[in-house]
Amino acid sequence: MIVDKVRVIWCRELQRDDISVDDDFFALGGQSVIMAGIQGAFIEELGVEVPVDHMFLNPTVASISAYIESLGAVTP
């Protein structure tokens, strides 16, 4: 599932293993450099480019995963 892949990326980039699908990126200490790393991982690992504005609009694993799935570009 996309949500599991996104969670793994967030855990790695935020250097935490306790992230839930409903945790807010910014509340977890996320900032622009980490966001850029996550965007790069989305491209490399999921084959999808997520614009910065959608990262801000979807600050949880669940919401960004739903956005990625809505693109139809990634297969679980």
Side-chain angles (χ1 to χ4, degrees):
M1 291 181 63
I2 297 301
V3 71
D4 296 325
K5 294 177 182 181
V6 169
R7 184 181 173 280
V8 166
I9 291 169
W10 277 38
C11 287
R12 182 182 65 234
E13 296 296 324
L14 288 160
Q15 299 179 354
R16 299 177 65 134
D17 60 359
D18 60 343
I19 297 173
S20 80
V21 297
D22 296 318
D23 285 337
D24 184 277
F25 174 77
F26 302 103
L28 293 168
Q31 39 89 355
S32 61
V33 174
I34 296 170
M35 186 180 289
I38 290 172
Q39 285 179 295
F42 286 166
I43 292 168
E44 290 180 26
E45 298 173 38
L46 303 180
V48 64
E49 188 171 345
V50 178
V52 172
D53 60 330
H54 284 283
M55 295 287 290
F56 280 99
L57 292 170
N58 299 287
T60 67
V61 169
S63 63
I64 200 65
S65 297
Y67 169 75
I68 291 169
E69 288 177 345
S70 77
L71 298 175
V74 181
T75 56

